[in-house]
Amino acid sequence: MVRRLNRREALAAGAGAFAAGLGSATGPARALNDYAEQIAKFTGGRTPVEGRVKLELPELAENGNTVPLSVAVDAPSGEGAHVQEILVVAPANPNARVIRFRFSPLSVPEASTRIRLAATQDVIAVAKLSDGTFFSASRQIKVTIGGCGG
Amino acid sequence: MITRREFLQTAAATAAIVPGGWPRAFAQQRLRQADLMRFDSLGNVTLVHIADLHAQLVPVYFREASVNIGVGDAKGEAPHLTGAALLNRYGIAPESPEAYALSADDFTALARAYGRMGGLDRIATVLAAIRAERGDKVVFLDGGDTWQNSYTSLVTKGQDMVDCMAMLRPDAMVGHWEFTLGADRIKELTQSLGFPFLALNVRDTEWDEPVFPASTMLERGGIRLAVLGQAYPYTPIANPRWMIPNWSFGIREDEVRTEVEKARAAGAELVVLLSHNGFDVDRKLAGRVAGIDVVLTAHTHDALPAIVKIGRTLLVASGSHGKFVSRLDLDVRGGEVKDYRYKLIPIFADAIAPHPAVAAKVAAVRAPYLAHLSEVIGRAGALLYRRGNFNGTLDDVICDALLAERDAEIALSPGVRWGASLLPAQAITREDIYNATAITYPAAYRTAMSGARLKEILEDIADNLFNPDPYYRQGGDMVRVGGIAYTIDVAQPIGRRISQLRLLRTGAAIDAGRDYVVAGWGSVNEDAHGPAIWDVVASYIAARGEVAPATSGHVTVAGG
């Protein structure tokens, strides 16, 4: 009987030194969860406008279990409309909701954390402003599934 | 210098092999050290760059890619030019020494005439001559992939390369395969170098603190210049992360920007990025980060006889395996490059005299292993080479060996860009086998894999090579395959590039639901099992005597 490689092994073995296997071959758009509903719930059904949100993720995750993420919104704080919340969703995670940041009117709308990602996907951040407008950004990240064993 | 006797022998031998009229051309273009190194010096700074030596201390044959497809913005652009297109772009005559050095056309015939290239002792000769001419204006930088992928570098854990390179006195270096020596060994070696091992993009995973210096400030030719260093950004993905478990890499464009600004603020009049990003990544980076005067590229092994200019940034591509030394003279005034002159100096081993002290050192580090390395295992039945986007003939032989020795239906061999070439009828020594396989995680595994998984792997790796965005395209060449055929449309997105997967033995389409026995090597997993790949290959070759591709994989390319 031959031993079965896990996905990470198989990819790495096949890809070898330079071209390690990356992410889901079914493409970044694959959605396994209710991320669209989660966004709709967050926005009250409004469609967020793309822009003003800066979402930072590595292009390739070294370890899908702990991926550095930072998000910032280009919006004035302290006066006028301010950022109240930022929702981050991962369409190809078992659970769409990754994190929700809340800000006071005096907060600088920036936050960093580490998140877990199951597969290659477009992570989406949606910002809610106090005037009821919503802005969003998405960013593709490639994830080696099972890469935790590496 | 080629002696008259050697020259006559070569010319005579060549006359029978090469296309008509060619020997005369050779006679007219006899190589001389002085001609190869001739350079009209300019300005106040000279950058000397080598990269991707892959621990090749002695001269080798190395056939450049005949297939090197560019996608997106890189389509049809340098360095994604091969053969006649490359020669035309740079005005290089077919069959000339430059054509031999830079392209794959007529490789066997030209290799027999012009001989091997590289050798650290020859590189030392060129470097010494430049230093003699330019004095305190010279900066010598090593672009990395220097300490691994030969037998002696493997068994000495990079010590042979460190000791030999020390004689060339680099001002800084960066790394990639170096990291496959493991974190402890890297720390040990880098602390005793006497020059900085730079990596602005390596941080510890716990506190996000720098592991290595980001830059070094040098005074040359009366100016201050900063060298920033970038390690290969995807080392923990492409190579075993368990060897460097506490280090995180990445392109880290913002950190590059910050380091450029810091260097300028500290008074640097010239900012050089010594990079192991790979050419396409550096091309994109240079267009997005202001203030870098020169990017010394590496990783993708491109050898370009001219500068590629992106905005105000000069990109240098110095080739691999010791075949070339780049010299870039710069006139730097008022914090700007006013003028420059560049030459990619080809290191023809028969024409450039070895540097005696370095030659002696190279001989000394090899001496304990020479008998083992020189053992003849078999003979090449064809030109055996690796470099190129898809299977090279040397990979075909390795895949054949995996199929036969590991009793597998399908073989996978990593798409690394290193590995010297062997000419038809050339004796294959143990050293030659190591030069194509020497890594610190060599287990030739055997496993079951479903057809669906195989397809997924090929799609993933293809995206690593053909993603339209260079920042996602940092990878190596396509995984080499044995026992199967497939069609690839490089212009498609991930998941849709690979089709017509067939098992060659039966001709049947690969069944997504069926398990196949797959053999391969270079797994990044800590507990991969199997004999070392070099022993698998040696056993296969020894049993046959002469080897040429047998059951090699067949790849049909579309959309290129």
Side-chain angles (χ1 to χ4, degrees), chain B residues 381-400:
Chain B
L383 171 65
L384 301 181
Y385 65 91
R386 173 175 282 157
R387 184 73 230 284
N389 284 160
F390 304 101
N391 277 44
T393 49
L394 181 57
D395 304 302
D396 289 337
V397 169
I398 292 171
C399 287
D400 289 341

Side-chain angles (χ1 to χ4, degrees), chain B residues 56 190 203 252 266 294 435 471 508 547:
Chain B
Q56 299 303 310
T190 56
R203 300 289 181 102
R252 297 179 186 261
V294 179
N435 279 345
Y471 280 13
V547 288

Side-chain angles (χ1 to χ4, degrees), chain B residues 172-194:
Chain B
M173 75 176 289
V174 293
H176 167 206
W177 277 89
E178 284 76 7
F179 294 104
T180 64
L181 291 166
D184 291 345
R185 180 62 174 160
I186 285 285
K187 275 298 191 185
E188 183 183 18
L189 287 175
T190 56
Q191 276 158 13
S192 61
L193 286 178

Side-chain angles (χ1 to χ4, degrees), chain B residues 478-518:
Chain B
M478 190 67 186
V479 61
R480 281 53 172 130
V481 298
I484 57 170
Y486 68 88
T487 296
I488 178 167
D489 184 345
V490 301
Q492 294 296 317
I494 187 168
R496 295 217 292 272
R497 290 192 181 94
I498 308 292
S499 63
Q500 318 258 330
L501 257 172
R502 285 188 297 115
L503 191 68
L504 283 174
R505 204 174 55 184
T506 62
I510 294 287
D511 179 348
R514 201 202 117 182
D515 272 357
Y516 296 86
V517 179
V518 176

